Amino acid sequence: MHAELLAVRDQVHARNPGEVEFHQAVDEVFESLGPVIERHPEYVEAAVLERLCEPERQIIFRVPWTDDSGRVQINRGFRVEYNSALGPYKGGLRFHPSVYLGIVKFLGFEQIFKNALTGMPIGGGKGGSDFDPRGRSKAEVMRFCQSFMTELYRHLGEHTDVPAGDIGVGGREIGYLFGQYKRITNRYESGVLTGKGLSWGGSLVRPEATGYGTVLFANEMAKTRGRSLEERRVVVSGSGNVAIYAMAKAQQLGANVVACSDSDGFVVDEGGIDVDLVRQIKEVERGRLKEYAVRRGAGVSYVEGASVWDVNAEVALPCATQNEVGEAAATRLVASGVTVVAEGANMPCTPEAIAVFQSAGVLFAPGKAANAGGVATSALEMQQNASRDSWTFEYTEQRLTEIMVGIHDRCAQTAEEYGAPSNYVLGANISGFVKVAEAMLAQGLV
Ligand code: NDP
Ligand code: 2IT
C-alpha cells in the first residue's frame, strides 16, 4: 500500500478499535488508491482520505419495546450518516443480531462509493439494529419498528437522510417505519424512505432491482469475453430479497440456477430452482429453506450446516452476507470451473478469496458495483416521489439496465485507464472515490 495511504489506514484502525469489518472495507478501497493520489496530490493536502473515513455523524440510540408476553426488551439502534458530498445520506437499515457499530460503518463506507458509481445524487449512510426478527410476531416487529422510528425520525428527511431495507428489513418493516414517521411529523413525506409499497409511493422494480442488477452486471462482464449467462450453471447464496431476484433474472437470461441457501443450509435442484416456491416459503410464509426440498420431493437435496459453495458452479452469485466466501471456498469454486463471480451481497468475499479469483482470471465484480442496482432504483423512487409520478415496470427496468451497463462500463474503462484491464475492484474503487473526492474538494473543509 502507498505510504500516504498506509499512514491514514493505521490511524483509522487505531481510532476504531475492534471494528474488523470496517477495517476490511477501508483496506480494500485503500489498496486501489495508490495511483490516484499520485495523480492528485490535492486530495492528500485537503485530507480527503481522513475525512472520508470519519463519518459526518454517528447516531446510537436505545430502542425499548414490549414483546407479546409483556416483557420489556431493549435493543440498540444505529444510523451512521457517512458522507453527504453528492446528496442526502442514502442507504439501508439492517435488523440482525450481529449488527454493531463496526458492521454499520463498513456498510456505510461501502455505500458512499456505491452511490457515487450509480451517477445519482445520493450520499452514503447506513443503519440498523441488533434486533432479531426471527421468530418474532408481526405485532412485535411493528412495535419494534415504531420505537426505532420514534428516535430516528428527527435525523431523517427527504433532503437529509433517506433509509431503505437491507437484511431483515423489507416492505413490511418499511411500511411500519413510514407509518410512524408520518404520525410523528404529520407530513406525508414520500421521499423519506424507499422500498415503499406500490400503492403508497413505492416504485415498480425496486423489489427486484438489486438481484436483477447483479445479474445484469455479471452478464455485461461475460460479454467482454464473448459469452453470456445463457446455459451457464449458476449457484446463488441466500434466499432473501437479493437472492430471489438474482435467480429470477438469471433464469430469464437462460441460465440454469441449481442451488441457493439460507443460514441453516442449502438446496440443490439440478432441474433448476423453482424461484416462485423459494419466494413463497421464505418471503410469504417466512419459513425455512429446508421446506423447499420437502415440497419439491425426489431429486432435490437439502444439506444442513454446510456451505453452498461446495456446489460446482460456472457463475457464482453470493447474495447472503459479509465474508461468506473465504479462501478455501474460492479455491474450490475455481477448481469447479467458475469464470464469473458477482457480489449481490455487501463484501461477501474475503480479500483472500478475491485474490484467488483474480489470479485465476475469474471475472470478479465487487458489491459496490454489482449490487448498486438496488440503491439506484431507490433513487428512481425518490425521483418519482418528487414529481408525484409513477413509472411503468418497463420504463423503470430500462432505466435500471442503463444504470448497470453504465456502472459496468465506467469500472471497465477506469481499470483500463489505470493499466489493470478487467480489474473491476480497482475500477469501482477509483471511479467511485474520484467522484466523491472532487465534490468534497469543491465544497471546502466541511
Ligand atoms: P434478506 O434479509 O432478504 O435475506 C438475507 C439472506 O441471507 C437470507 O437468506 C438469510 O438467511 C441469509 N443470511 C443472512 N445473514 C446470514 C448469515 N449471517 N449467515 C448465513 N446466511 C445469512 O436480505 P437481502 O437479500 O436484502 O440482503 C442480502 C445481502 O445483500 C446483504 O449483504 C445486503 O447488505 C445486500 N444488499 C441488499 C440490498 C437490498 O436492496 N436489499 C441492496 C444491496 C445489497 P436466513 O433466512 O436464514 O436468515
Ligand atoms: O446495500 C444497499 O445498497 C442497500 N441495502 C440498499 C440501499 C437503498 O437505499 O436502497
Side-chain angles (χ1 to χ4, degrees), residues 93-124:
L93 297 171
R94 176 178 293 192
F95 292 169
H96 192 272
S98 62
V99 168
Y100 77 107
L101 189 59
I103 295 260
V104 183
K105 277 164 69 177
F106 117 64
L107 291 163
F109 186 75
E110 289 278 292
Q111 200 84 43
I112 304 169
F113 308 103
K114 183 196 302 190
N115 294 4
L117 282 169
T118 65
M120 315 292 284
I122 41 179

Side-chain angles (χ1 to χ4, degrees), residues 61 63 76-78 92-99 127-134 141 144-146 148-149 152 164-170 172-174 176-177:
F61 52 101
V63 189
R76 191 171 284 177
F78 301 89
L93 297 171
R94 176 178 293 192
F95 292 169
H96 192 272
S98 62
V99 168
S129 175
D130 58 2
F131 172 70
D132 187 358
R134 201 162 155 177
V141 169
F144 175 81
C145 288
Q146 290 177 337
F148 185 88
M149 186 54 93
L152 190 61
D166 194 83
I167 291 177
V169 178
R172 177 180 71 172
E173 290 72 23
I174 294 295
Y176 298 147
L177 292 163

Side-chain angles (χ1 to χ4, degrees), residues 15-16 42 69-70 73 119 148 175 188 210 213 260 269 281 285-286 347 357 363 365 399 409-410:
R15 286 185 83 175
N16 301 279
E42 69 275 19
S69 65
Q73 301 277 346
F148 185 88
Y188 204 106
T210 311
C260 65
D269 190 341
I281 292 168
E285 299 170 20
R286 296 180 186 274
M347 212 169 73
F357 292 136
L363 290 165
R399 292 284 302 265
D409 293 354
R410 214 165 302 133

Side-chain angles (χ1 to χ4, degrees), residues 28 110-111 113-118 206 208-222 229 241-243 245-246 249 315-319 340-349 354 363-377 400-412 423-429 431-432:
E28 193 247 336
E110 289 278 292
Q111 200 84 43
F113 308 103
K114 183 196 302 190
N115 294 4
L117 282 169
T118 65
R206 178 62 189 90
E208 294 86 353
T210 311
Y212 274 25
T214 301
V215 169
L216 291 170
F217 197 102
N219 201 44
E220 287 304 303
M221 290 200 298
L229 294 199
N241 173 265
V242 179
Y245 293 104
K249 181 52 89 179
V315 176
L317 305 174
C319 297
V340 175
V341 178
E343 294 186 327
N346 286 307
M347 212 169 73
C349 300
I354 296 172
L363 290 165
F364 174 80
K368 62 172 77 67
N371 72 37
V375 76
T377 308
L400 168 64
T401 306
E402 285 163 7
I403 290 167
M404 293 315 298
V405 172
I407 297 172
H408 172 273
D409 293 354
R410 214 165 302 133
C411 293
N423 186 337
Y424 290 89
V425 173
L426 192 98
N429 286 337
S431 104

Side-chain angles (χ1 to χ4, degrees), residues 130-386:
D130 58 2
F131 172 70
D132 187 358
R134 201 162 155 177
R136 290 294 176 192
S137 71
K138 215 171 136 183
E140 288 176 319
V141 169
M142 183 175 76
R143 286 197 295 277
F144 175 81
C145 288
Q146 290 177 337
S147 181
F148 185 88
M149 186 54 93
T150 299
E151 179 57 36
L152 190 61
Y153 85 94
R154 70 191 83 246
H155 303 287
L156 306 183
E158 63 179 328
H159 301 296
T160 312
D161 185 352
V162 183
D166 194 83
I167 291 177
V169 178
R172 177 180 71 172
E173 290 72 23
I174 294 295
Y176 298 147
L177 292 163
F178 185 76
Q180 186 73 349
Y181 182 87
K182 180 167 66 74
R183 183 185 189 195
I184 294 172
T185 61
N186 192 31
R187 281 162 65 81
Y188 204 106
E189 191 184 334
S190 298
V192 73
L193 288 167
T194 60
K196 299 181 294 294
L198 276 182
S199 62
W200 45 279
S203 173
L204 285 163
V205 191
R206 178 62 189 90
E208 294 86 353
T210 311
Y212 274 25
T214 301
V215 169
L216 291 170
F217 197 102
N219 201 44
E220 287 304 303
M221 290 200 298
K223 280 194 209 163
T224 65
R225 303 224 172 127
R227 300 286 307 265
S228 74
L229 294 199
E230 202 174 340
E231 289 177 17
R232 309 288 292 274
R233 184 182 166 89
V234 177
V235 172
V236 175
S237 65
S239 48
N241 173 265
V242 179
I244 287 170
Y245 293 104
M247 292 192 282
K249 181 52 89 179
Q251 289 179 346
Q252 276 177 29
L253 297 183
N256 185 23
V257 183
V258 295
C260 65
S261 64
D262 66 10
S263 55
D264 295 339
F266 66 87
V267 290
V268 181
D269 190 341
E270 291 289 347
I273 294 282
D274 178 344
V275 180
D276 286 339
L277 183 58
V278 175
R279 202 177 150 257
Q280 172 65 27
I281 292 168
K282 295 294 312 243
E283 216 175 74
V284 180
E285 299 170 20
R286 296 180 186 274
R288 309 302 304 159
L289 193 60
K290 188 182 196 166
E291 185 60 24
Y292 179 91
V294 176
R295 291 198 206 167
R296 283 281 273 182
V300 174
S301 55
Y302 171 73
V303 184
E304 186 139 332
S307 164
V308 73
W309 305 120
D310 290 342
V311 182
N312 292 349
E314 290 180 85
V315 176
L317 305 174
C319 297
T321 194
Q322 64 277 352
N323 293 327
E324 54 161 308
V325 184
E327 188 174 10
T331 306
R332 232 207 53 74
L333 280 167
V334 167
S336 89
V338 84
T339 58
V340 175
V341 178
E343 294 186 327
N346 286 307
M347 212 169 73
C349 300
T350 65
E352 296 77 22
I354 296 172
V356 168
F357 292 136
Q358 289 182 330
S359 60
V362 170
L363 290 165
F364 174 80
K368 62 172 77 67
N371 72 37
V375 76
T377 308
S378 280
L380 299 180
E381 183 172 331
M382 291 162 76
Q383 280 188 20
Q384 292 169 79
N385 294 151

